[in-house]
Amino acid sequence: MFINIEKRGINTGFDFLGSEAGFGILQSLIAYDEADSHGKVFIVGLLNTILVSVIGIIFASLIGLLVGVGRLSKNWMVSKLSMVYVETFRNIPILLQILFWYNVVLAALPSPKQSISFFDSIFFNNRGLYIPKPILESGFIAVIIAFILGIIAVVYLSNWAKKRHDETGEEFPLLGTSLAILIGAPVLVYFLSGTPATLEYAQLKGFNFRGGWTLIPELLALSFALSIYTATYIAEAVRAGIEAVPKGQKEAAHALGLKDYIILKKVVLPQALRVIIPPVINQYLNLVKNSSLATAIGYPELVTIFSGTSLNQVGQAIEIILMTMAVYLTLSILISVLMNYANKKMQIKER
Amino acid sequence: MKFLKTASLSIATVALLASVSAADTLDSVKKKGVLNCGVSTGIAGFSATDSSGQWKGLDVDMCKAVASAVFGDASKVKYVSLTAKERFTALQSGEIDLLSRSTTWTNTRDTSLGLNFAGVNYYDGQGFLVNKDIGVNSAKELDGATVCIQAGTTTELNLTDYFKANKMTYKPITYDTSGQTIEGFKSGRCDVVTSDASQLYGLVLKVKDPSSVKVLPEIISKEPLGPVVRQGDDKWFNIVKWTHIALLNAEEFGITQANVDSMLKSKNPGIKRILGESGESGKNLGLDKKWAYNIIKNVGNYGESFERNVGANSPLKIERGLNKLWNDGGIQYGAPIR
C-alpha cells in the first residue's frame, strides 16, 4: 500500500511529526508556539479533547443523576419538567445543539468593550469568560502541603466515623467536617504564610482583553451541549436503575423510619448502580466520540487541529487518520476498563 | 461528520491506490461520461451556486472548459463541493478528476502530496477584512487581534509568518468553511477575517451593512491559484494545462464566445491553429481537433470569464490587475499553441 502511495509521489512515514506546524492554536493546555512541531499539535489536540470530555462527563453525570431522580419524584412539577427536558434534548441531533448553543452564546454576549464585568475582575464577553489568573510564589508550597495533609486527615476521619457508626450506630456529620478541613486548612495556612499568591487580572488593551485565564466560548458551548445531550441518556439509565430496585426494599426502609434522602443514598442508589453503570459506560464513550463534532464550531480539539489542519498542511491522510483513530480507540478502551472495574465493585458479592 | 468524511476518503485512498496503479484519467472520464470536478463550498465569484442552484464562477468555468475540451459539452460536469480540509484527499483518492477550488500553488503541495498544478487562473494575495469601528487602518495595528480563518489553508501559515515578522500576537479561530468564517466575524467572535483578497471582496457582500467593514491595504502574501490534478498522469495534466492556455490565447487573439464561429474563417494562422482549422494540437492532446473551439464556444475566453464572474460585470467588481494579459500590463501569459 505505502509503496503504491509513494509511487504516486505522496510522502509517507511519520517524519512529519517532527516538522514545524506553523499555525496558531486558540487554546492549549501546554505551552504551544507556531514554531512547534505537528507532534506537539497532536498532544495539544489530544489534551483539548480530554479536557472537554472530562468536563462533559462530570456535568452530564451530575445533571443525569438529578434529572433521573427527578423523573421519579412525587412532585408533579419536578417529574414533568424532567420528562420534558429528557424528551426535548434527546430528540435533537447533537450537532444542531452544538451549533445552537454556540450561536446563542455568541449572540447573547456583548463585545469586549461592553463586556459584562463582576467586581472589575471577572469579564464576560463574546471572546470568552476572563477570570484572574493566580501567580504563585514560592511560599505557596505550604498551602499545597496543608491541602495534602487535609486529604490524609479526611481519609482517617472517614475510617474512624465508619468504625464508630458500625459499633455505636451514631452518625457523624462527615461531609461537612471534611469540607471544612479541606478548605479551611489551606486557607488558614495561606493567610498565616502571608498570602503567597497574587492575581493577574485580565485587562482591556487595544481591542481585546489580555492576561488572566480565558474560557473560550467554543469550549463553553461544546461542553454545555455535550453535557446537556448526554445527560438525557444518563437520566434514563438512572431512572431505569432506580425502578429496577424491588419496591419491597423501599417499603422496608420506610418501615424502619428512615428519611427519604437516606433511603435514596443508602438503600436505593447502591442497588440501582448495578443496573445504571453499564449503559452509562456507553454514554461516556459516546460523549468522548461526539466531542469530535467540535470541528463545526472551531474548538481546537484533536480532530479539528490534527486530522484537520495538520492533515491539510502535510497531506498524509493515512498516517494522521490512523493516529486519530488509535486515540479514540485507546480512550474508549480506557473508559471501558475503568468503568468495568467500578461495575465489578458494585456487583453483589456472591459467595 | 467531517471526520467521517475525511476518514472514509482516506480509506478510499488506500483502496484506490492499491488497485489502480497507473490510472488513465482521460479514459476513465470518457467512460463515466462526466467530469468529477472538485469545487468549494461557496466562494463568491469562484465557485458558488446561484439562486437557481447552478454552479457559477471562475473556477467553475475551468471545470466547464475541461469538460468542453473532452466532451464538447460544458454540462457534463459533476460538481463535488469540498472544504479546504477535504480537497487534497478527494483528489488523491480519485473521488474527483480535477480540483478547481482557489488552491494556492506551493512547494509542499506540488512536491509531497502527489499533485500537479496545471497553471494559475488567478493571481491573488492575502488580505485582512475588519470592522470599521475597531479603528484600525493598517494590518500593522492588529497586535492582539482575534482572527477568523478557514482551516487547512496557506492563509493560516502566512498569518503566523506575518505576525511573527512584525512581532505581534494574535488568537486564531479556525472554522471549516468560509461561510462559518464570515458568520463568526458577523457575530463578533473575531476582530479580523483573513483570506485571499479576492475572497474578502466576496465576503464584504455577505455582511449586512457592507459600508461598516473594510479591507485593509496590506497584501501579505503571493497566492497563485489554479487547477490541480493527480501526479503521474501526464496526458490528463496536459489537457488541463492546455485548456487554461487556450482560454488565455483566445483572449489574446480576440476570439470570444460570440465571434468564435465567424473566426473559423479567419486567415490568421494563429487563430486557425487554436480553432483546429490547422495543426495537430487536438491529436497531440488525445482530443478532438475542435477542442479549443468547444472551450471558447461554451465558456468564452479568459477575459470574458473573468469579467463575468469576478470583474466589472459581477457584483465583486475586482480589478483585473496582475490578471491582465502579458501584453496589457499583467502576468497572464499563454504559451503558444503550435
Side-chain angles (χ1 to χ4, degrees), chain A residues 1 4 22 102 127 208 218 312, chain B residues 84-85 144 152 160 175 189 191:
Chain A
M1 175 182 98
N4 260 331
Y102 184 54
R127 303 291 151 78
N208 278 327
E218 286 78 14
N312 216 270
Chain B
K85 274 158 59 172
T160 307
Y175 294 108
R189 179 66 185 98
D191 306 299

Side-chain angles (χ1 to χ4, degrees), chain B residues 254-267 271 275 277 293 297:
Chain B
I255 313 171
T256 64
Q257 205 168 3
N259 71 11
V260 62
D261 283 314
S262 58
M263 281 288 189
L264 281 174
K265 294 180 212 88
S266 165
K267 293 282 180 285
I271 295 178
L275 293 181
E277 296 296 294
Y293 166 86
K297 181 75 185 164

Side-chain angles (χ1 to χ4, degrees), chain A residues 126-146:
Chain A
N126 58 18
R127 303 291 151 78
L129 178 65
Y130 291 82
I131 51 178
K133 176 181 175 180
I135 308 279
L136 306 181
E137 286 155 29
S138 56
F140 197 78
I141 193 98
V143 179
I144 295 170
I145 292 171

Side-chain angles (χ1 to χ4, degrees), chain B residues 257-303:
Chain B
Q257 205 168 3
N259 71 11
V260 62
D261 283 314
S262 58
M263 281 288 189
L264 281 174
K265 294 180 212 88
S266 165
K267 293 282 180 285
N268 183 330
I271 295 178
K272 281 175 86 161
R273 274 195 297 271
I274 186 173
L275 293 181
E277 296 296 294
S278 68
E280 306 219 296
S281 63
K283 197 177 134 203
N284 294 341
L285 287 170
L287 298 172
D288 189 82
K289 68 175 180 145
K290 289 277 197 190
W291 66 280
Y293 166 86
N294 287 331
I295 294 173
I296 306 163
K297 181 75 185 164
N298 292 333
V299 181
N301 65 40
Y302 178 75

Side-chain angles (χ1 to χ4, degrees), chain A residues 1 4-5 8-11 22 24 26 34 102 106 126-127 208 210 217-218 295-296 298 308-309 312-315 321, chain B residues 10 14 17 20 84-85 112-114 143-146 152-153 156-157 160 170 172 174-176 180 187-189 191 231:
Chain A
M1 175 182 98
N4 260 331
I5 295 171
R8 286 281 186 91
I10 304 172
N11 277 357
L26 179 60
E34 290 87 352
Y102 184 54
L106 282 190
N126 58 18
R127 303 291 151 78
N208 278 327
R210 310 250 177 113
E218 286 78 14
T295 178
T309 309
N312 216 270
Q313 304 296 4
V314 299
I321 297 291
Chain B
S10 320
V14 179
L17 290 169
V20 197
K85 274 158 59 172
S112 76
L113 302 190
D143 191 16
T146 309
T153 55
E156 259 186 292
L157 306 180
T160 307
Y170 71 98
T174 40
Y175 294 108
D176 252 5
Q180 287 169 343
S187 64
R189 179 66 185 98
D191 306 299
Q231 223 173 41

